[in-house]
Amino acid sequence: MYFRVLLVLSLLNLFGLDFSTLRAQDTLSVWKMLDQAAQMDTVDRAKDKYEAAYTLAKQLDYDRGVLASLQRLIPLELETENTSNALRYLLEEVKLLENVQADEKRRKALIKIGDLYSEQALFTEAILYYKQAREGIMGNRNEETKSLDEKIGFNYSQEGEADSALVFYANLIELYGEDKYYRLNTLRKVVAAYQEARNYEASLAFNLQIKTLMEANQEFQGELGTIYNNLGYTHVFLGKYGNASQWFLKAEDHFENDHERLVVLYTNLGIAYFNNRDFKLATQYLRKALSLAKESDLVNKGNISNVLANIYLQTDDYFNAQNFNRDALEFADQSRNPQLKSDAYATAAEIHSRLYEYEDAIKAYKIHLGLRDSILIENRMEQERLFREKLALEKTEKEVKLLLIRGEIQDLTIAQLRTEKERQKLEIDNLNLDALKSQNEIEIMTQAKEIRETKLKNQELETQRTRQQLALLEGELELQSRERDLAELEKEEALTKAELERTEAKVVEGEQARKILEKDKELFQRNALVLILISLMILLGLVYTRKTNKKLRQQKLELEAEQEKSESLLLNILPNSVAQELKEKGRTTPKKYESVSILFSDFVDFTRISAASSPEEIIAELNDCFKGFDAIMEAEGIEKIQTIGDGYLAVGGIPEEAPGHAIKCVAAAKKMIAFLEERNQHSSIQWKARIGIHSGEITAGVVGTKKFAYNIFGDTVNTASRIETAGEQGRINISASTYDLIKERFDCEYRGKISAKGKGELDMYFVK
């Protein structure tokens, strides 16, 4: 019996030695694989090698190797945006670090999980892990607690829980408030939290704290404009537009040379004045914002143009409303911004409706609805994508935690097996005690037995403690699952409510569209009634006698002759394309031209010459001169606009846009001077003309309903008049903008900066 026991012990020792040797070799293999992975040339190959090392370490139950593999795998999963795998590995890392009581490393892993959830806009889950990380360092004033409080405050802010965010931000202000810069930045975060929660009263209160802090410290004086602008912005949300305007005006002095901030400020001022029903100041400041906006800032320029179109629509200024609406649509097309395009088409539909252009209104409104629905669908898809990502992460978290629990249960089973092994070993020891005859050996074996029994009792106690911890963990997991289910139900309810609101909005819009269609139908019915009356008149005409028919034919011929005269007269008054539009539609649409050239001329000493001549003679002279000018304009393709006394006005580049308009105007001006010089050789009155040309943008259209005329408008017209007045007889005076367009074709003489009434000093040139 004794020798049999010794043989068993020898065999156990033999197998134990071999197993230890094999384990050492395998653990070295784990580190070798990790080293090889670090040398891989691609991320995918490195991940494969790290995962192989991780799997081997798991099989060996080699926690150190598992941790090393995880710490290398996690950054790669985050880099490749594989959030589910990254979360899976992070959760396992946290559990392993908890087992080895590596608190600092565990805290960092918890923060990484919080960051992962925060980046995925899962703010509630992020807060949970940040708080777990915060628990281990509660009460300590260091950079880690500072960073965690900022993260928790930010995530509460994004979740719309401003009061909860304030708790952590206030803690930061209390701890680090002696640093004025840090206090200022933290107060700004508090304001942002309340703005996000739409608690504008609280936002205003903290903005006033920022104002007091900045005004009291010299180093913040350069940022006063920003806080004044923010105070105005907050007052707009509170509906206190008068107060908002005062704060915006106070900010203007601090943004004197900062065009980018002035654009924002002037836009805010315009909206504030608009809401306060001061349309004149609203358009004034919005136009300022538009003029200062960068050429590349298409979306901002489009939004400002759309607001201006709506303001002009409110004041029944349909001309400006259409112009700015066209600009907004153009900016929307260039920027490819669907929201701007939708808003601009909604404004276009309203303008067409006000002008009784129901067909165009319905077209624009349909485009608006299509764009709006596509935006809603895209937003809905984005919400659903985020929701799916959240479910995937939560599912991953739950699966990992369950696996970890099962792993602990498995470890518990292994511990029980080891306990059983210890029990069997005790029995063998008892046999050894019976076999040994020496009292000293018996005492030594007895002590060893007592030690093993104590160890066995400790293991049983540890087993019971582990069971209790597992039960608590399962309960906590179940509670977290229920809380998340409740949160999902609340969010689903919010989504359903939002969908209901969108459905109600669609119903309202549908009702508006129906009303527009009813108006269109009513108009059609009135037209149909007119057609019926015309038909009755035709039927009555059929019963007339042949004599009456002959008389009607004669009247028709006379009417056609008169119509031809009218059309001929109309073509003499208006450009051909404008006249054609007036005949077809009964109205004309004003048009904006980005680049034209305006020619102004008048006669020197006209007042003196007219006083010394009879009225008949003066009229005959002017008629002869202007006929010659008309022929020159027609030959050069320039549109004559009007004559006023001895003044003659013409424009190159309308009604059809022409790139060489400035060159044509200069050529026409040279012919005008040559024409007068030739005419003066055989005329009793010697006429000398002064001619000025300026290039720029204008608006052109027909004005009036009786004795209507084609006319031009804009600052370019006024500037051209000043250029002509500053000229000399027999010479062609041009502006810098015209010079830039003709300098390659004509020799010019720079005159320097010449004072022009109401325009200041302008660069001017004489054409040689």
Side-chain angles (χ1 to χ4, degrees):
M1 181 66 180
Y2 171 75
F3 291 105
R4 186 183 300 170
V5 172
L6 289 178
L7 179 62
V8 171
L9 289 173
S10 299
L11 289 172
L12 286 172
N13 289 332
L14 179 62
F15 282 114
L17 179 62
D18 288 344
F19 177 77
S20 175
T21 304
L22 290 172
R23 177 179 172 83
Q25 292 174 353
D26 288 338
T27 55
L28 285 173
S29 297
V30 172
W31 293 104
K32 185 176 179 181
M33 293 170 74
L34 291 175
D35 289 338
Q36 290 172 348
Q39 306 300 321
M40 293 297 173
D41 54 353
T42 66
V43 172
D44 289 339
R45 293 178 67 184
K47 279 175 61 176
D48 290 343
K49 204 68 176 176
Y50 283 135
E51 285 172 354
Y54 164 77
T55 303
L56 178 59
K58 288 281 286 184
Q59 290 172 350
L60 296 172
D61 198 16
Y62 182 36
D63 288 350
R64 187 181 169 201
V66 173
L67 274 171
S69 303
L70 290 174
Q71 287 165 358
R72 290 161 174 78
L73 273 170
I74 290 166
L76 292 180
E77 298 293 0
L78 291 172
E79 181 183 341
T80 55
E81 297 183 355
N82 193 341
T83 52
S84 292
N85 273 354
L87 178 62
R88 186 184 305 277
Y89 292 140
L90 279 166
L91 288 167
E92 187 170 357
E93 182 185 20
V94 167
K95 189 62 183 176
L96 286 171
L97 292 170
E98 183 180 354
N99 291 339
V100 298
Q101 296 181 343
D103 293 340
E104 185 176 350
K105 291 182 179 180
R106 176 178 174 273
R107 189 161 55 248
K108 289 180 179 179
L110 287 169
I111 293 171
K112 285 181 183 178
I113 297 175
D115 291 342
L116 187 149
Y117 274 123
S118 184
E119 288 168 6
Q120 297 297 318
L122 303 173
F123 306 114
T124 302
E125 290 77 4
I127 291 167
L128 175 66
Y129 282 96
Y130 288 141
K131 284 186 174 180
Q132 285 185 41
R134 183 71 172 80
E135 287 172 1
I137 49 174
M138 187 66 70
N140 297 332
R141 289 184 61 177
N142 56 37
E143 288 301 316
E144 196 169 15
T145 60
K146 178 179 173 182
S147 174
L148 279 168
D149 284 347
E150 286 179 343
K151 288 175 182 287
I152 295 170
F154 170 77
N155 280 269
Y156 270 128
S157 174
Q158 294 300 304
E159 196 72 0
E161 298 181 26
D163 291 335
S164 296
L166 179 61
V167 172
F168 290 90
Y169 286 141
N171 182 45
L172 289 170
I173 293 172
E174 181 182 351
L175 293 175
Y176 304 98
E178 64 275 5
D179 183 340
K180 288 179 286 188
Y181 289 97
Y182 188 78
R183 182 181 183 85
L184 177 63
N185 289 332
T186 306
L187 284 171
R188 284 172 172 167
K189 291 173 183 176
V190 174
V191 169
Y194 280 110
Q195 287 281 142
E196 184 73 22
R198 300 185 181 181
N199 186 343
Y200 302 114
E201 291 288 354
S203 175
L204 176 61
F206 284 101
N207 262 326
L208 289 171
Q209 286 189 36
I210 293 174
K211 179 186 82 73
T212 302
L213 176 62
M214 294 177 71
E215 288 177 341
N217 292 276
Q218 186 64 34
E219 56 266 46
F220 297 141
Q221 298 300 300
E223 299 182 61
L224 282 174
T226 302
I227 186 57
Y228 294 152
N229 179 70
N230 291 345
L231 282 165
Y233 188 72
T234 306
H235 277 94
V236 166
F237 281 108
L238 289 170
K240 300 175 181 179
Y241 304 115
N243 291 338
S245 302
Q246 292 175 11
W247 284 113
F248 288 140
L249 290 170
K250 196 170 182 180
E252 185 178 11
D253 297 334
H254 297 269
F255 294 158
E256 186 175 358
N257 298 316
D258 192 337
H259 285 187
E260 190 171 342
R261 288 190 174 186
L262 281 174
V263 169
V264 176
L265 181 65
Y266 287 150
T267 303
N268 289 340
L269 258 172
I271 293 171
Y273 279 124
F274 170 65
N275 287 321
N276 215 25
R277 311 297 293 176
D278 191 337
F279 300 126
K280 183 177 179 181
L281 284 175
T283 55
Q284 176 183 330
Y285 279 103
L286 286 168
R287 280 176 175 266
K288 278 187 178 182
L290 195 58
S291 66
L292 292 175
K294 292 180 180 178
E295 289 296 323
S296 58
D297 194 1
L298 299 173
V299 175
N300 196 22
K301 292 177 75 173
N303 284 323
I304 295 172
S305 297
N306 191 51
V307 174
L308 278 166
N310 278 284
I311 293 174
Y312 281 119
L313 187 61
Q314 291 287 329
T315 58
D316 297 330
D317 185 348
Y318 302 123
F319 174 74
N320 278 312
Q322 285 183 311
N323 280 340
F324 282 104
N325 181 243
R326 276 195 294 270
D327 290 345
L329 287 169
E330 184 177 343
F331 289 131
D333 286 334
Q334 292 174 2
S335 64
R336 297 181 180 179
N337 186 287
Q339 186 60 59
L340 173 58
K341 198 168 187 178
S342 175
D343 295 340
Y345 270 109
T347 304
E350 183 64 22
I351 293 171
H352 286 308
S353 179
R354 293 277 194 94
L355 292 173
Y356 304 105
E357 298 168 351
Y358 296 119
E359 186 175 347
D360 291 336
I362 292 172
K363 286 180 181 177
Y365 194 67
K366 284 181 178 178
I367 295 173
H368 156 66
L369 289 178
L371 289 167
R372 189 208 60 184
D373 288 345
S374 67
I375 293 169
L376 289 174
I377 291 170
E378 186 175 341
N379 291 339
R380 179 72 176 179
M381 289 174 65
E382 178 63 15
Q383 289 177 350
E384 290 175 353
R385 184 188 67 79
L386 292 173
F387 186 67
R388 286 195 300 271
E389 287 184 359
K390 179 182 178 181
L391 287 179
L393 289 176
E394 288 182 346
K395 182 180 178 183
T396 298
E397 181 177 353
K398 191 171 183 179
E399 288 175 352
V400 171
K401 286 188 176 180
L402 285 173
L403 285 172
L404 291 174
I405 290 171
R406 289 169 186 163
E408 290 192 356
I409 293 172
Q410 185 178 6
D411 291 343
L412 181 62
T413 304
I414 292 170
Q416 289 174 335
L417 290 173
R418 286 175 178 169
T419 303
E420 184 62 28
K421 183 179 178 181
E422 291 292 334
R423 206 183 292 275
Q424 292 174 357
K425 197 168 185 181
L426 282 174
E427 291 178 359
I428 293 172
D429 289 342
N430 289 331
L431 292 173
N432 288 337
L433 285 173
D434 293 337
L436 294 172
K437 302 297 183 181
S438 171
Q439 186 63 35
N440 290 335
E441 289 179 353
I442 292 173
E443 290 177 357
I444 292 170
M445 292 295 290
T446 303
Q447 290 175 356
K449 177 183 176 183
E450 290 174 352
I451 291 170
R452 289 191 181 96
E453 286 177 345
T454 303
K455 184 177 179 182
L456 179 61
K457 290 179 181 178
N458 289 337
Q459 287 178 341
E460 288 175 348
L461 290 173
E462 182 64 24
T463 299
Q464 291 176 1
R465 186 184 68 81
T466 303
R467 286 183 183 277
Q468 291 172 352
Q469 287 180 343
L470 290 174
L472 286 173
L473 186 58
E474 286 180 334
E476 289 176 2
L477 187 60
E478 183 64 25
L479 180 59
Q480 289 178 10
S481 177
R482 290 180 181 178
E483 288 175 350
R484 285 174 182 160
D485 291 342
L486 182 59
E488 289 307 322
L489 286 174
E490 290 175 351
K491 290 195 176 180
E492 187 64 29
E493 183 181 357
L495 288 172
T496 305
K497 185 178 179 182
E499 186 67 29
L500 180 60
E501 289 175 353
R502 286 195 291 271
T503 304
E504 290 175 349
K506 286 184 180 180
V507 172
V508 172
E509 289 170 355
E511 183 63 22
Q512 291 175 346
R514 184 184 64 78
K515 289 180 180 179
I516 292 173
L517 290 172
E518 285 180 354
K519 287 182 180 179
D520 197 26
K521 181 179 178 182
E522 185 181 345
L523 181 62
F524 174 78
Q525 289 174 345
R526 287 201 298 269
N527 291 338
L529 182 60
V530 172
L531 289 172
I532 292 170
L533 292 173
I534 292 172
S535 300
L536 289 173
M537 291 174 65
I538 293 171
L539 289 173
L540 290 173
L542 293 175
V543 300
Y544 283 172
T545 60
R546 290 182 180 180
K547 183 177 180 180
T548 304
N549 289 337
K550 184 177 180 181
K551 186 176 179 180
L552 287 172
R553 283 195 296 272
Q554 183 63 32
Q555 289 176 349
K556 181 180 178 183
L557 291 173
E558 292 174 357
L559 181 61
E560 288 175 351
E562 289 298 324
Q563 188 175 359
E564 288 179 2
K565 290 180 183 179
S566 298
E567 290 183 2
S568 177
L569 181 60
L570 189 63
L571 291 174
N572 283 331
I573 297 172
L574 303 175
N576 185 41
S577 60
V578 177
Q580 191 65 29
E581 184 182 6
L582 187 63
K583 283 165 52 184
E584 292 175 355
K585 298 183 179 180
R587 58 178 175 77
T588 61
T589 303
K591 185 176 179 182
K592 184 178 180 181
Y593 295 86
E594 297 295 335
S595 180
V596 302
S597 291
I598 300 176
L599 182 150
F600 257 117
S601 78
D602 70 351
F603 292 118
V604 179
D605 292 334
F606 177 75
T607 304
R608 179 184 59 78
I609 294 172
S610 61
S613 307
S614 66
E616 292 81 2
E617 187 179 8
I618 289 297
I619 293 299
E621 286 286 313
L622 287 177
N623 184 50
D624 191 52
C625 290
F626 288 160
K627 282 172 63 179
F629 291 173
D630 288 349
I632 292 169
M633 299 305 151
E634 186 173 359
E636 291 294 334
I638 298 172
E639 189 68 33
K640 172 190 173 183
I641 300 301
Q642 63 181 4
T643 59
I644 305 173
D646 66 322
Y648 190 91
L649 172 63
V651 183
I654 65 170
E656 281 76 35
E657 296 179 3
H661 51 78
I663 295 171
K664 291 182 179 181
C665 282
V666 172
K670 283 180 166 288
K671 289 182 180 180
M672 290 168 68
I673 292 172
F675 167 77
L676 291 177
E677 288 175 351
E678 182 181 350
R679 187 180 183 283
N680 287 340
Q681 293 178 8
H682 51 78
S683 174
S684 58
I685 298 178
Q686 300 295 297
W687 296 107
K688 297 290 185 181
R690 186 169 48 231
I691 302 176
I693 303 174
H694 174 57
S695 303
E697 65 175 29
I698 63 166
T699 300
V702 175
V703 295
T705 56
K706 295 182 179 180
K707 297 183 180 180
F708 49 79
Y710 186 68
N711 214 332
I712 58 175
F713 312 92
D715 188 60
T716 303
V717 182
N718 299 330
T719 305
S721 175
R722 299 291 183 265
I723 296 292
E724 180 271 319
T725 304
E728 296 178 3
Q729 69 176 25
R731 306 203 71 175
I732 304 167
N733 190 34
I734 64 173
S735 67
S737 60
T738 303
Y739 171 74
D740 289 338
L741 297 174
I742 62 104
K743 61 185 178 183
E744 303 296 333
R745 292 287 298 273
F746 298 97
D747 291 332
C748 300
E749 173 189 342
Y750 180 54
R751 299 181 63 193
K753 291 187 178 293
I754 309 297
S755 179
K757 183 180 178 182
K759 300 294 178 182
E761 293 187 342
L762 302 176
D763 290 317
M764 298 188 193
Y765 300 79
F766 277 139
V767 180
K768 294 183 180 179

